[in-house]
Amino acid sequence: MKIKEVWFDVDNIFGRDEEDRVYKQSLLWYPRLRQASDDERDKYTFGLDGIHWRGLDEDISFESFEYEDAEPTALQRFFLTHKEINVAEFARRIGMNPTLLRNYINGFKKPSKEREQEILNHIHQLGEEMTAA
């Protein structure tokens, strides 16, 4: 699969392949593209296996447009939009291996539904503690 055309909306990057199929991915996976201006986003080149934004030092593989998790889960969305949260310290606080939590956030591993809910419950608990202070 090779993407031939790229465009954006507020939250996503879209790609059209050579067979006219349209794919999308959340810009939460690509913070530099998310924060970029329209002009910066328009300055890309196609390579053999992906798209490159030299001015942003960002690359997206063609293959990634076919990933099942184009949209982040609630857990991933929280940590991708709240970079101020120290993932390692949060993981230690809830008794989890920090590397494992990072793998969940980045999509390298998938937590069970129960494990994801447990982590989300700790996030809610942290929010309650922060608003009570």
Side-chain angles (χ1 to χ4, degrees):
M1 189 264 289
K2 190 168 184 172
I3 298 292
K4 295 290 191 177
E5 179 186 1
V6 174
W7 69 97
F8 298 85
D9 70 10
V10 174
D11 298 314
N12 301 287
I13 178 172
F14 296 86
R16 184 181 320 275
D17 72 7
E18 45 208 5
E19 295 180 15
D20 212 32
R21 290 179 297 227
V22 174
Y23 302 86
K24 80 173 186 175
Q25 296 186 58
S26 173
L27 285 172
L28 288 176
W29 298 121
Y30 309 103
R32 284 176 250 163
L33 277 173
R34 186 172 182 233
Q35 300 300 321
S37 68
D38 289 341
D39 186 52
E40 289 171 314
R41 289 178 179 176
D42 287 341
K43 294 179 181 170
Y44 61 87
T45 57
F46 290 112
L48 294 175
D49 58 358
I51 309 160
H52 178 67
W53 286 263
R54 185 176 186 165
L56 299 172
D57 192 27
E58 186 71 80
D59 295 288
I60 300 179
S61 71
F62 295 138
E63 176 187 28
S64 68
F65 281 91
E66 295 181 299
Y67 291 169
E68 292 178 15
D69 58 352
E71 187 63 34
T73 65
L75 169 66
Q76 292 167 325
R77 182 173 290 282
F78 175 79
F79 284 102
L80 291 170
T81 57
H82 292 284
K83 298 290 188 181
E84 70 275 11
I85 302 293
N86 182 307
V87 173
E89 290 303 319
F90 181 85
R92 285 186 191 95
R93 173 188 167 121
I94 67 172
M96 176 183 268
N97 179 300
T99 300
L100 180 60
L101 182 56
R102 280 191 198 90
N103 284 333
Y104 290 159
I105 294 165
N106 294 317
F108 301 133
K109 292 193 176 212
K110 299 222 182 271
S112 67
K113 290 196 181 289
E114 295 79 17
R115 182 66 156 175
E116 183 174 14
Q117 189 57 54
E118 176 187 339
I119 296 166
L120 290 171
N121 289 343
H122 283 288
I123 291 170
H124 289 284
Q125 180 182 0
L126 178 62
E128 289 172 7
E129 290 173 17
M130 292 175 80
T131 57

